[in-house]
Amino acid sequence: MTTEGFIVLDEKTLREYIKKTPSLFSKVGSDDVDKLEVKEVGDGNLNFVYIVTSSSGSIVVKQSLPYVRCIGESWPMTKERSYFEATALKRQYGLSPKHVPEVYHFDRTMSVIGMRYIEPPHIILRKGLIAGVKYPLLAEHMAEFMANTLFYTSLLYLTTTEHKSAVAEFCGNVELCRLTEQVVFSDPYKISEFNRWTTPYLDGDAEAVRNDNILKLEVAELKSKFCEKTQALIHGDLHTGSVMVTHESTQVIDPEFAFYGPMGFDIGAFIANLLLAYFSQDGHAAQGNDRKAYKGWIMDTLADTWNLFHKKFTTLWDIHKEGPGEAYLHEIYNDVELRELVKQKYMTELFHDSLGFAAAKMIRRIVGVAHVEDFESITDLVKRADCERRALDFAKMLMKKRRNFNTITDVISAAQ
Amino acid sequence: MTTEGFIVLDEKTLREYIKKTPSLFSKVGSDDVDKLEVKEVGDGNLNFVYIVTSSSGSIVVKQSLPYVRCIGESWPMTKERSYFEATALKRQYGLSPKHVPEVYHFDRTMSVIGMRYIEPPHIILRKGLIAGVKYPLLAEHMAEFMANTLFYTSLLYLTTTEHKSAVAEFCGNVELCRLTEQVVFSDPYKISEFNRWTTPYLDGDAEAVRNDNILKLEVAELKSKFCEKTQALIHGDLHTGSVMVTHESTQVIDPEFAFYGPMGFDIGAFIANLLLAYFSQDGHAAQGNDRKAYKGWIMDTLADTWNLFHKKFTTLWDIHKEGPGEAYLHEIYNDVELRELVKQKYMTELFHDSLGFAAAKMIRRIVGVAHVEDFESITDLVKRADCERRALDFAKMLMKKRRNFNTITDVISAAQ
């Protein structure tokens, strides 16, 4: 397949590609390219991901095809998403370099990103959560990633000129936005060939979602915010499958859904996936391992993530209160009491947005097209359905009552 | 002055320009261009506006210069605003042809728009309101203009693909957005060399605005919506100076501030300027003409404008409920009761947005840089200050308490 200079890479052409690309070749040393070890590891549904290793180092090369990999050419999907992923990665790396892989090379025609290889023992966070592994720095790192990437791309730091120009550019990533609109905000609330759930146990629950008028009223408001509120450059898909971890390191990957949207969508995605992990734990419990302590750790991590995010984000705001950001001009908002009022109002709305999006993301993982391994790996369907139902009921309540929650501790109490 | 093909037109070069531009020349017939009558009538602060007349017809030719006309080259202002004005005019004409002048010609290099001449006895609505003239169809026409232009450019009618592409394009009009941000949402709330007010009578009132923390908290929320909420293609400057009227006709002009923003900003601008007209009437009262009946007409027009807008807008929504709009998919929102809930929620938020923006627009016209002739033409300064103070106090209350108002009648009662 070739379109205007685009070729789908395979092991052989990838070697040739690396050879003629100095920014990649320099990373894998002076070896003969035929000696490079090339391994295709794309376990996602969309893209090809190669790990290329030589005696002197490794890199990752990711290529997007103009369709969805796991379906084939019958489901077209712009390969331009690769451009937005590379652009977002570079921006996020600039803002949070400890938690984002460095991009070495981007080729728009070929939709190829060359980037840092995130080496073992890094694993996908979701797999760690299923295995019951604690990551003591996870909350701190995620809070830092979110605070930095969201604050610095919002009008709290940018001028409106910089902001509108960035908004305009990322409007181009509309195909990926539409995919989210469909699978998160629409399909779960109607009959769709793509929806699935643990049948027959959750048949009634799925139907109840489709018939819940108050829920549908709330999800419409969240969808409008997703489509219309250009608050910051969001990752757009910040679930626990987009995070790689060790005990010391946290790396956020795969921002191909990035665009200027509501900050709460990122925070909510992460919250949702911690809650899904929490509700799935009973399904992973075994004799002598009731997962009770681990559930406690997940909830502590959830609390710490929001509380640390809140602290880091408002600290950045304080530091830059006389900075370039045009939302709250210092000359107007210099009164100490007023500044506190403003921050409180902003953070409360952000908290409620985050809870709303978290609820939407939980619901769609139980009755929508894409499920999570946290539940899917529970082989006993009765047990799985029981975990899923508790998560679903909690999410429905959270979406409807989100404005009544004042602290993350209240949310955790409600979940427990 | 010449920059890359741009020349400032004068009477002579305008004639030559028309001669070589068929879409303009055809409108003024086959006369020798030297016989064309050319009159410069731009009484605004920004642009040059020519009326060109021949025996067979008249046209308007508008040219934007790369600076603010009334200040000179020391206040640069992109002439690209002309592109956004022409683009918005064409879009609005397509959606509400009875209330928008037709564009015959646009030249981006020269920043020249050729358009329909809005003939006498059309006058600027603001002047009619000062003179105490009633326009029986004004509310109906404005409601129609707003309902059509806002509904059809929102996600209630557009797909997200069309919407994001239009949002991106109008992000380019950022310089004009920034001007609004400054003069509406910022300057009145801080000390600024541009601010003025009827001194010394309103010195204390202007200071009170700058020290009102609750007001500043509210205006921040409105500013965020202005900067971040890409709800529809708004006119951006819909005051009574942007409307030309006769008893039978209403024409909306000058959308150079157009961009994708909150609908309430347009509705609020119009509401604000009717309220300013209302509060100024006592200053125009004379013996034997207490303006009492006229004040009643203004308030009836205000009520009718919102109520008719509400009716027309929700009717469009009903008509197109199975249309291309992606905000509320018919498959999800087909339940009659749910549809009513959704509309109620949407329209209530829009009403409160409109009241908030109306308040902001009133405040800035009393203590900000640009004032309105409604008050400025009251020569007795004590009387003027008295009218302005009542308008200002009302606007402050409206901004703070807007969420407590359920109907436009409640707002009118509060003003009276």
Side-chain angles (χ1 to χ4, degrees):
Chain A
M1 203 208 117
T2 315
T3 344
E4 299 162 41
F6 176 82
I7 336 163
V8 178
L9 292 172
D10 55 25
E11 278 205 25
K12 183 168 171 290
T13 50
L14 175 59
R15 286 170 202 276
E16 289 161 12
Y17 186 86
I18 289 171
K19 192 172 181 178
K20 64 173 194 195
T21 307
S23 54
L24 296 182
F25 192 63
S26 66
K27 296 287 173 186
V28 286
S30 56
D31 288 17
D32 184 335
V33 288
D34 293 330
K35 291 189 191 156
L36 292 175
E37 185 192 326
V38 174
K39 202 164 68 174
E40 209 287 308
V41 295
D43 66 346
N45 301 320
L46 297 179
N47 307 302
F48 283 88
V49 181
Y50 297 93
I51 297 169
V52 181
T53 303
S54 75
S55 57
S56 60
S58 296
I59 57 171
V60 160
V61 177
K62 186 168 175 179
Q63 183 175 39
S64 303
L65 308 190
Y67 50 83
V68 175
R69 178 184 177 181
C70 65
I71 309 275
E73 300 193 25
S74 65
W75 188 340
M77 171 77 62
T78 174
K79 66 187 179 60
E80 268 295 273
R81 63 186 187 271
S82 185
Y83 168 74
F84 296 104
E85 175 168 358
T87 307
L89 271 174
K90 286 187 258 184
R91 187 92 177 88
Q92 290 167 345
Y93 177 75
L95 296 171
S96 194
K98 284 189 212 151
H99 306 301
V100 180
E102 187 180 358
V103 171
Y104 304 138
H105 167 75
F106 176 60
D107 178 338
R108 193 162 182 173
T109 306
M110 286 284 287
S111 298
V112 162
I113 305 175
M115 64 179 116
R116 175 189 158 194
Y117 169 55
I118 301 174
E119 73 290 347
H122 280 98
I123 59 166
I124 291 290
L125 172 57
R126 191 184 303 286
K127 294 191 186 287
L129 294 172
I130 293 168
V133 182
K134 295 180 185 174
Y135 297 97
L137 298 175
L138 178 64
E140 170 82 23
H141 290 170
M142 288 304 295
E144 183 160 313
F145 171 81
M146 294 193 293
N148 283 342
T149 58
L150 299 177
F151 176 82
Y152 285 110
T153 59
S154 78
L155 285 168
L156 299 179
Y157 184 76
L158 297 182
T159 65
T160 48
T161 306
E162 295 164 323
H163 180 257
K164 276 223 193 315
S165 147
V167 168
E169 175 163 33
F170 277 93
C171 278
N173 205 16
V174 59
E175 271 197 47
L176 281 278
C177 292
R178 282 169 73 84
L179 185 57
T180 301
E181 288 158 28
Q182 181 189 334
V183 299
V184 176
F185 299 107
S186 297
D187 280 356
Y189 305 90
K190 68 187 186 69
I191 293 186
S192 159
E193 55 175 322
F194 301 111
N195 290 341
R196 57 191 189 82
W197 54 82
T198 306
T199 192
Y201 310 102
L202 296 186
D203 289 1
D205 301 83
E207 192 185 352
V209 167
R210 295 196 300 270
N211 293 326
D212 189 330
N213 280 356
I214 302 305
L215 200 66
K216 286 155 93 170
L217 191 66
E218 292 295 343
V219 84
E221 180 180 322
L222 293 163
K223 185 180 179 182
S224 288
K225 284 198 178 180
F226 182 81
C227 294
E228 297 172 345
K229 187 169 179 171
T230 61
Q231 195 175 20
L233 177 60
I234 66 174
H235 178 285
D237 198 25
L238 197 51
H239 56 78
T240 48
S242 297
V243 180
M244 294 189 73
V245 284
T246 66
H247 281 85
E248 295 82 31
S249 163
T250 307
Q251 302 294 323
V252 179
I253 59 173
D254 291 351
E256 64 192 334
F257 285 83
F259 76 113
Y260 273 74
M263 295 177 182
F265 192 76
D266 272 2
I267 304 166
F270 191 68
I271 288 177
N273 280 271
L274 286 182
L275 285 166
L276 292 172
Y278 171 84
F279 282 106
S280 75
Q281 290 301 316
D282 289 348
H284 301 300
Q287 211 168 15
N289 179 8
D290 63 6
R291 296 272 183 140
K292 211 174 148 191
Y294 195 64
K295 283 161 76 174
W297 176 82
I298 294 178
M299 288 315 210
D300 289 347
T301 298
L302 174 55
D304 290 348
T305 300
W306 171 259
N307 291 330
L308 287 168
F309 168 79
H310 188 291
K311 194 176 163 199
K312 286 169 191 284
F313 189 90
T314 53
T315 301
L316 288 175
W317 194 346
D318 285 338
I319 291 170
H320 295 289
K321 66 176 189 276
E322 296 180 61
E326 292 190 322
Y328 298 88
L329 299 181
H330 186 60
E331 290 164 277
I332 304 176
Y333 297 95
N334 51 2
D335 177 83
V336 177
E337 196 185 322
L338 176 57
R339 280 191 50 74
E340 286 312 307
L341 277 175
V342 160
K343 279 190 279 186
Q344 209 167 69
K345 182 170 165 152
Y346 191 100
M347 297 310 285
T348 299
E349 191 182 341
L350 181 51
F351 185 57
H352 293 156
D353 279 4
S354 301
L355 297 182
F357 287 120
K361 299 279 262 180
M362 291 175 75
I363 292 168
R364 75 97 156 199
R365 292 295 195 177
I366 299 166
V367 297
V369 56
H371 286 227
V372 288
E373 198 183 330
D374 309 64
F375 291 129
E376 298 293 291
S377 58
I378 303 169
T379 47
D380 178 335
L381 293 192
V382 174
K383 212 186 257 185
R384 183 201 296 177
D386 186 54
C387 292
E388 288 177 324
R389 186 179 295 111
R390 282 187 292 123
L392 182 63
D393 288 344
F394 176 75
K396 286 164 66 177
M397 178 283 296
L398 188 63
M399 190 182 288
K400 294 176 192 176
K401 306 281 185 203
R402 64 187 187 277
R403 298 174 197 85
N404 300 346
F405 289 98
N406 295 315
T407 67
I408 192 74
T409 315
D410 295 345
V411 177
I412 290 167
S413 302
Q416 287 167 334
Chain B
M1 204 208 116
T2 316
T3 344
E4 299 163 40
F6 176 82
I7 334 163
V8 178
L9 292 172
D10 56 25
E11 279 204 24
K12 182 167 170 290
T13 50
L14 174 59
R15 285 170 204 277
E16 289 159 13
Y17 186 87
I18 290 171
K19 193 170 179 180
K20 64 170 195 197
T21 307
S23 55
L24 296 181
F25 192 64
S26 65
K27 296 287 173 185
V28 286
S30 57
D31 288 17
D32 183 336
V33 287
D34 292 333
K35 290 188 186 153
L36 293 175
E37 186 192 323
V38 174
K39 204 165 68 174
E40 209 288 307
V41 296
D43 66 346
N45 300 321
L46 296 179
N47 308 302
F48 283 89
V49 181
Y50 297 94
I51 298 169
V52 181
T53 304
S54 75
S55 57
S56 61
S58 295
I59 57 171
V60 161
V61 178
K62 186 168 176 180
Q63 185 175 40
S64 303
L65 307 190
Y67 50 83
V68 175
R69 178 185 176 181
C70 65
I71 308 275
E73 301 192 26
S74 64
W75 188 339
M77 170 79 63
T78 173
K79 66 187 178 63
E80 269 294 273
R81 64 186 187 271
S82 184
Y83 168 74
F84 296 104
E85 176 169 359
T87 307
L89 270 175
K90 285 186 260 185
R91 187 91 177 89
Q92 291 167 345
Y93 177 77
L95 296 172
S96 194
K98 285 189 208 151
H99 306 301
V100 179
E102 187 180 358
V103 171
Y104 304 137
H105 168 75
F106 176 61
D107 179 339
R108 193 162 183 174
T109 307
M110 286 285 286
S111 298
V112 162
I113 304 174
M115 65 179 116
R116 175 189 157 192
Y117 169 54
I118 300 174
E119 71 291 345
H122 280 98
I123 61 165
I124 290 290
L125 172 57
R126 191 185 302 286
K127 295 191 185 287
L129 295 171
I130 294 167
V133 183
K134 295 179 185 173
Y135 297 97
L137 298 175
L138 178 63
E140 169 83 22
H141 290 169
M142 288 305 294
E144 183 160 314
F145 170 82
M146 294 192 294
N148 284 341
T149 59
L150 299 178
F151 176 83
Y152 285 108
T153 60
S154 76
L155 284 169
L156 299 179
Y157 185 75
L158 297 182
T159 65
T160 49
T161 306
E162 295 165 324
H163 179 257
K164 278 227 189 314
S165 148
V167 167
E169 175 162 33
F170 278 91
C171 277
N173 205 15
V174 59
E175 272 199 45
L176 281 278
C177 291
R178 283 170 72 85
L179 185 56
T180 301
E181 287 158 27
Q182 182 190 335
V183 300
V184 176
F185 299 107
S186 296
D187 280 356
Y189 304 90
K190 68 187 186 68
I191 293 186
S192 159
E193 54 175 324
F194 302 111
N195 290 341
R196 58 192 189 78
W197 53 82
T198 305
T199 190
Y201 311 101
L202 296 187
D203 290 1
D205 301 84
E207 192 185 350
V209 167
R210 295 195 300 269
N211 293 325
D212 190 329
N213 280 356
I214 302 304
L215 200 67
K216 287 155 93 170
L217 190 65
E218 292 295 344
V219 86
E221 179 180 324
L222 293 162
K223 185 179 180 185
S224 287
K225 284 198 178 180
F226 182 81
C227 294
E228 296 172 345
K229 188 170 178 171
T230 61
Q231 196 175 21
L233 177 60
I234 66 173
H235 178 283
D237 197 26
L238 197 52
H239 57 77
T240 50
S242 298
V243 180
M244 297 191 71
V245 283
T246 67
H247 282 85
E248 295 83 31
S249 164
T250 307
Q251 301 294 324
V252 179
I253 59 174
D254 291 351
E256 65 193 331
F257 285 83
F259 77 113
Y260 273 74
M263 296 178 181
F265 192 75
D266 272 3
I267 304 165
F270 191 69
I271 288 177
N273 280 271
L274 286 182
L275 285 165
L276 292 172
Y278 171 84
F279 283 107
S280 77
Q281 290 300 316
D282 289 348
H284 301 300
Q287 214 169 14
N289 179 8
D290 63 6
R291 297 271 184 140
K292 210 174 147 191
Y294 195 63
K295 283 161 75 174
W297 176 81
I298 294 177
M299 287 314 209
D300 289 347
T301 299
L302 175 54
D304 291 349
T305 300
W306 171 259
N307 291 330
L308 287 168
F309 168 79
H310 188 292
K311 193 175 162 199
K312 286 168 192 286
F313 189 90
T314 52
T315 300
L316 288 175
W317 194 346
D318 285 337
I319 291 169
H320 296 289
K321 65 176 190 277
E322 297 180 61
E326 292 189 322
Y328 299 88
L329 299 182
H330 185 58
E331 290 163 278
I332 304 176
Y333 297 96
N334 52 1
D335 177 82
V336 177
E337 196 186 322
L338 176 57
R339 279 191 51 74
E340 285 314 306
L341 276 175
V342 160
K343 280 191 276 186
Q344 210 167 69
K345 181 169 166 152
Y346 192 100
M347 297 310 285
T348 300
E349 190 181 343
L350 181 51
F351 185 57
H352 293 156
D353 278 5
S354 301
L355 296 181
F357 287 121
K361 299 280 262 179
M362 291 176 74
I363 292 169
R364 76 96 156 201
R365 293 293 196 177
I366 299 166
V367 297
V369 56
H371 286 228
V372 288
E373 198 183 331
D374 309 65
F375 290 130
E376 297 293 291
S377 59
I378 303 169
T379 48
D380 178 335
L381 292 192
V382 174
K383 212 185 256 182
R384 184 201 295 176
D386 187 53
C387 292
E388 289 177 323
R389 185 178 296 110
R390 282 187 291 122
L392 182 62
D393 288 343
F394 175 76
K396 286 164 65 176
M397 179 282 296
L398 189 63
M399 191 183 288
K400 294 176 191 174
K401 307 278 185 206
R402 65 187 186 277
R403 298 174 197 85
N404 300 345
F405 289 97
N406 295 314
T407 67
I408 192 73
T409 315
D410 295 344
V411 176
I412 290 167
S413 302
Q416 285 165 336

